[in-house]
Amino acid sequence: MSEQQNFDVVVIGAGPAGYHAAIRAAQLGLKTACIDAALGKDGKPALGGTCLRVGCIPSKALLDSSRQFWNMHHIFGDHGIAFDNAKIDVNAMVGRKDKIVKQFTGGIAALFKANKIAAFYGFGQLQPGNVVRVKQHDGSEVELKGTNVIIAAGSESIELPFAKFGEHIVDNVGALDFTEVPKRLGVIGAGVIGLELGSVWNRLGAEVVILEAMPSFLAAADGEAAKVSAREFKKQGLDIRLGAKVATTEVKADGVHVTYNDAKGEQTIIVDKLLVAVGRKAATRGLLADGTGVQLNERGQIVVDEHCHTGVDGVWAVGDCVRGPMLAHKGFEEGIAVAELIAGLPGHVNFETIPWVIYTEPEIAWVGRTEEQLKADGVPYKAGSFPFAAVGRAVAMAEPAGFVKVLAHAETDRILGMHLVGANVSELVHEGVLAMEFNGSAEDLARICHAHPSLSEAVHDAAMAVDKRAIHKA
Ligand code: NAI
């Protein structure tokens, strides 16, 4: 018989959604516990979920390291900077990434302590009656009863039956820890992970081939943004093959043989490492004991309403394990909203204004609807766009690629979407997020004074271009 402890809130999972929920609940005076099973590279418990351990943060560390290396070879010359014999020490680069991960996972542990959140390290399973049974790493079991339970179990990589993960075939976790630059890297899936991690190793000198099953590139993005970014990736040497359906993979002495079919018929590539990035699925295996009443949908996600409630009294679910985009910041907002709802406050997430960012070079970012979606929905709209090639700051930075496009309702001028490709657009997209959150119009954005010279002038001029009055556009 295991010991039982009582809490106001028990959170399963200390990833972005879970740790936000736990900290906000604790701030609101609720007695809170949070359970997480993950271990870091050192074998010790590591809070922060996929995002901090093997996702957003480590990938950005490697993207930045590899970008410096790429710039040395491709941009420094423009600035008149010459150097001899620059080399990359992959182990030092990965070590830097690990240090950053440790700093941030340790930071969550410190925040838990400061907020008096009881952390439990092990695997939590929901039982009927809002009880979570935790199998702790030391082998002991503990039962936590929550007046409320918030499930934030996250997601895991989808494994293809014909490409089992191992030493040569990896998911995002493996691709963050190569010990040397693979000479040839194959990637299955030209989605967010494939493009980001493909870019890292391409910049460091790997020959990268990305096989994408869909006939179009980045179908979720605005068509123009996808087209412009595809052109830039091609210039960088990323070989993206569309309509390529992988049939088999085989690890042989000379590398991984990847056979796929496209319009030209059956083809095989041989690579040293193969990254499989074909999407992620809700991590619900073993999470729910019989009789909890919590439902899963056909995609294995926990069924919730618009308030993240599962329909079972006191049981909520947030983040990657429920519907909606698998984005850390979407999880943050859901975690906070649920903690506030539990405390009797009006928690809320606006799904219309969740930004998307792909951290390639150039970066790709957007908020709201694409032109294609507006056309499909029959919404009358006006578009204004402005290229970074005409923005002084961007050219001075040797970052002329890309553009900003503002989409506004043809009659009301209300902003319906903003699409950006270019340097630092991961930051600039928030002008669109803010404007849309405040129901702003293109004219509102156009009348806001933007600093000169700055990249944000592209946003300003794109907003002005909606009514054909961009000053710097011929
Ligand atoms: P994804 O859904 O972004 O892309 C997967 C791609 O693989 C799609 O283009 C799909 O058509 C393709 N695909 C699927 N099966 C295939 C097959 N058998 N052969 C060839 N292509 C195939 O998924 P990804 O890149 O694995 O990322 C998973 C999740 O992680 C995403 O939902 C994303 O939101 C999140 N993420 C977000 C990041 C960000 O916000 N910057 C960074 C990394 C991940």
Side-chain angles (χ1 to χ4, degrees), residues 60 160 162 188-194 196 211-214 244 246 277-280 326-327 356-359:
K60 261 74 270 168
L160 295 170
F162 50 80
I188 307 184
V192 192
I193 293 178
E196 291 188 357
L211 303 173
E212 166 59 51
M214 300 282 285
V246 180
V278 295
R280 297 178 63 82
M326 287 187 173
L327 297 172
W356 278 83
V357 179
I358 307 178
Y359 294 84

Side-chain angles (χ1 to χ4, degrees), residues 50 55-56 59-60 155-158 160 162 172 187-196 211-214 216-219 241 244-247 276-281 320 324-329 355-359 364:
T50 297
C56 323
S59 64
K60 261 74 270 168
S155 60
E156 59 192 7
S157 303
I158 294 175
L160 295 170
F162 50 80
N172 58 303
V187 180
I188 307 184
V192 192
I193 293 178
L195 290 172
E196 291 188 357
L211 303 173
E212 166 59 51
M214 300 282 285
S216 57
F217 177 62
L218 268 187
R241 303 185 188 174
K245 296 192 176 61
V246 180
V276 181
V278 295
R280 297 178 63 82
K281 59 178 183 196
D320 280 9
M326 287 187 173
L327 297 172
H329 44 278
W356 278 83
V357 179
I358 307 178
Y359 294 84
I364 306 164

Side-chain angles (χ1 to χ4, degrees), residues 3-4 40 51 58 63 91 140 225 251 261 302 321 355 383 424 461:
E3 160 201 5
Q4 192 171 84
C51 170
L63 277 158
N91 290 321
S140 65
V251 181
N261 291 287
I302 295 173
C321 66
N424 291 356
D461 270 12

Side-chain angles (χ1 to χ4, degrees), residues 328-386:
H329 44 278
K330 173 259 195 186
F332 292 172
E333 298 306 320
E334 286 183 333
I336 291 173
V338 166
E340 295 191 340
L341 288 169
I342 289 171
L345 298 171
H348 167 74
V349 181
N350 183 359
F351 276 83
E352 303 297 314
T353 57
I354 294 175
W356 278 83
V357 179
I358 307 178
Y359 294 84
T360 44
E361 172 71 23
E363 293 180 344
I364 306 164
W366 69 90
V367 57
R369 281 184 279 177
T370 63
E371 280 202 59
E372 291 76 14
Q373 285 165 340
L374 291 172
K375 278 181 191 145
D377 294 347
V379 178
Y381 70 93
K382 317 176 265 188
S385 65
F386 198 79

